[in-house]
Amino acid sequence: ESQIIGVGDTGLDYDSCFFRDDSQSVAFFPKTNTQHRKILSYKECVTDNGGHDHTDLLDAHGTHVSGSAAGNSIGGDSQYNGLAPGAKLFFHDLTCGSDPTGLYLPGDLYDYYLPQYETGARVGSNSWGSSSPSTYTAVDRETDRFLFEQPDFLAVFAAGNNAFAGILSPSAAKNVLTVGAHTNSLNASAR
């Protein structure tokens, strides 16, 4: 409660019951709306033609991870709320246009992390990363540099979505918290 979570992903369906506020409009960065019940600010992805895109592509992944972090249903069914339903979101849309094949990070990752930080987020949720294993990359270095310079900010990354690829960049950065899972199933006969 009273916390701001930064999320960067495929877009956010802010009309979903987990984020909608019928009495307040969504503020688009650099503006903020502290009165909105869930979204402090939405940083739009600027398309190649200079327009803005509010579509949540890639099977609503951004809406899903935002809901897991801070979703709070206005319908009263708290069974599906996120882990921090009292928190607000700073959302950074990383998918531009109609090409749902990938996320587009700014050339300088300070342009990704700094808006979250400046609006009050001290934790950033990132369920994205490289699609193949690699060594310590420029993205890892830039992430580590930002976190070293802002020691009160924690970037949390998914280890990756490929069960056989191992830890993927930027989850290999030194200063992040990397979260993973396994694909093994537990059953009575394996105990």
Side-chain angles (χ1 to χ4, degrees), residues 2 29 54 68 78 105 116 125 149:
S2 302
F29 185 79
H54 302 112
S68 294
S78 63
L105 293 173
Q116 296 177 41
S125 175
E149 293 172 2

Side-chain angles (χ1 to χ4, degrees), residues 23-182:
S23 67
Q24 297 290 321
S25 61
V26 172
F28 293 96
F29 185 79
K31 295 180 181 177
T32 61
N33 182 352
T34 59
Q35 301 304 307
H36 194 284
R37 75 178 193 97
K38 292 307 300 173
I39 302 168
L40 178 67
S41 188
Y42 189 108
K43 187 164 182 4
E44 299 172 287
C45 192
V46 179
T47 62
D48 292 338
N49 64 7
H52 300 281
D53 180 43
H54 302 112
T55 309
D56 186 4
L57 301 172
L58 296 175
D59 299 323
H61 190 264
T63 300
H64 169 75
V65 298
S66 295
S68 294
N72 187 354
S73 176
I74 58 175
D77 189 358
S78 63
Q79 147 182 351
Y80 299 108
N81 283 351
L83 294 173
K88 292 189 179 193
L89 294 170
F90 173 92
F91 191 86
H92 191 138
D93 190 340
L94 296 174
T95 307
C96 290
S98 60
D99 179 10
T101 60
L103 302 179
Y104 299 93
L105 293 173
D108 181 349
L109 281 183
Y110 265 66
D111 294 334
Y112 173 67
Y113 294 117
L114 196 57
Q116 296 177 41
Y117 187 81
E118 287 180 339
T119 56
R122 292 300 178 262
V123 64
S125 175
N126 306 281
S127 289
W128 51 266
S130 171
S131 60
S132 60
S134 62
T135 59
Y136 191 73
T137 68
V139 174
D140 296 304
R141 279 189 300 279
E142 288 182 37
T143 298
D144 277 335
R145 181 177 56 122
F146 183 85
L147 295 173
F148 178 79
E149 293 172 2
Q150 280 72 230
D152 58 339
F153 185 79
L154 174 64
V156 181
F157 278 90
N161 289 328
N162 184 333
F164 305 104
I167 307 282
L168 307 175
S169 175
S171 298
K174 302 181 288 188
N175 298 325
V176 304
L177 173 62
T178 300
V179 178
H182 62 80

